Amino acid sequence: MTALRAGAGAAAALTAGLALALAGSAFAKTTPNFNLTSNGTAVSQGAVVGAGAAGSYQDFPFTIAGDEADGDISVHIDWVNPADDFDLYIYRKGPGNELETVGSSAGAPPSTEENAVAQSQGVPITPGQYVIRVQNYASTVPNFKGTAHFGVFTPPNEIPIAKLAAPATVKAGRKVRLDASASHDPDGSIANYAFDLDGNGSVEVNNGNNPVLSRALSPGLHHVAVRVTDNKGLRAFANRDVVVQKKHKKKGKKKH
């Protein structure tokens, strides 16, 4: 029973961690940054294994945990002599420890640095085992240093949902109430409401953060619309047709 409770607690903690990461807040958990330091073993010059002379390299393995939400992996290395040449790779370990390249940088002299980036594709970078490989391509001295930095994942901004309530008909002389208060933003808030009162596609009234507008309209059919803008600048529209009735002339009494 104790083990079951512990397992349930761990699952709850993982779920909470993922929810926090996907929220894209400043408090989202990422893989810890770390430094890369040469141990002097990458002494033989050559290309990556399978693409010519094997040469030698130094690997820096790391793990992305299931509750970490990384948006990118940025790796930098540098060395002293611009005539030397190192190549840089970021691998993800697949089944059977097969290495899948997710980022690379293989510039040519004269240079004293390489920078490789692996970026998320709409979701956080897949948790699992990874390797940073520094390959001695044509360096006479096997010394380098560098850093691995993990950026927080920020979900793409979702489009807000615009909704507009309005009466189908209004008696002559009365104001038309346009109500967009049911509009909402799935991942933020509505920052602005603007109204098109004549259906020409441009807004006549910028109503700020007020979702309700009451206006007197001329008799006839009106194609009214609301444009909502979320807190990150995305927009959505909703429209309604409103008929304002014409005033009827009073009939005078007939003279006898």
Side-chain angles (χ1 to χ4, degrees), residues 111-151:
S111 177
T112 58
E113 67 175 10
E114 294 283 0
N115 295 280
V117 177
Q119 293 184 315
S120 62
Q121 302 297 320
V123 295
I125 293 176
T126 304
Q129 302 296 316
Y130 288 79
V131 174
I132 295 170
R133 176 166 294 177
V134 180
Q135 173 81 39
N136 183 344
Y137 186 79
S139 180
T140 56
V141 178
N143 296 329
F144 59 85
K145 57 183 176 62
T147 57
H149 179 271
F150 300 84

Side-chain angles (χ1 to χ4, degrees), residues 133-234:
R133 176 166 294 177
V134 180
Q135 173 81 39
N136 183 344
Y137 186 79
S139 180
T140 56
V141 178
N143 296 329
F144 59 85
K145 57 183 176 62
T147 57
H149 179 271
F150 300 84
V152 66
F153 171 74
T154 302
N157 185 25
E158 292 190 48
I159 297 174
I161 297 171
K163 293 188 176 183
L164 179 61
T169 59
V170 176
K171 291 183 178 181
R174 293 190 177 181
K175 290 184 177 181
V176 178
R177 177 183 168 87
L178 305 176
D179 187 352
S181 58
S183 304
H184 64 281
D185 184 28
D187 60 350
S189 59
I190 304 295
N192 181 266
Y193 300 85
F195 293 88
D196 176 8
L197 302 179
D198 57 14
N200 67 352
S202 62
V203 298
E204 286 77 44
V205 180
N206 185 332
N207 219 38
N209 61 3
N210 186 354
V212 179
L213 176 70
S214 293
R215 281 293 173 93
L217 301 177
S218 60
L221 174 63
H222 294 267
H223 304 290
V224 297
V226 65
R227 182 192 72 196
V228 300
T229 306
D230 73 6
N231 57 310
K232 293 184 179 179
L234 286 185

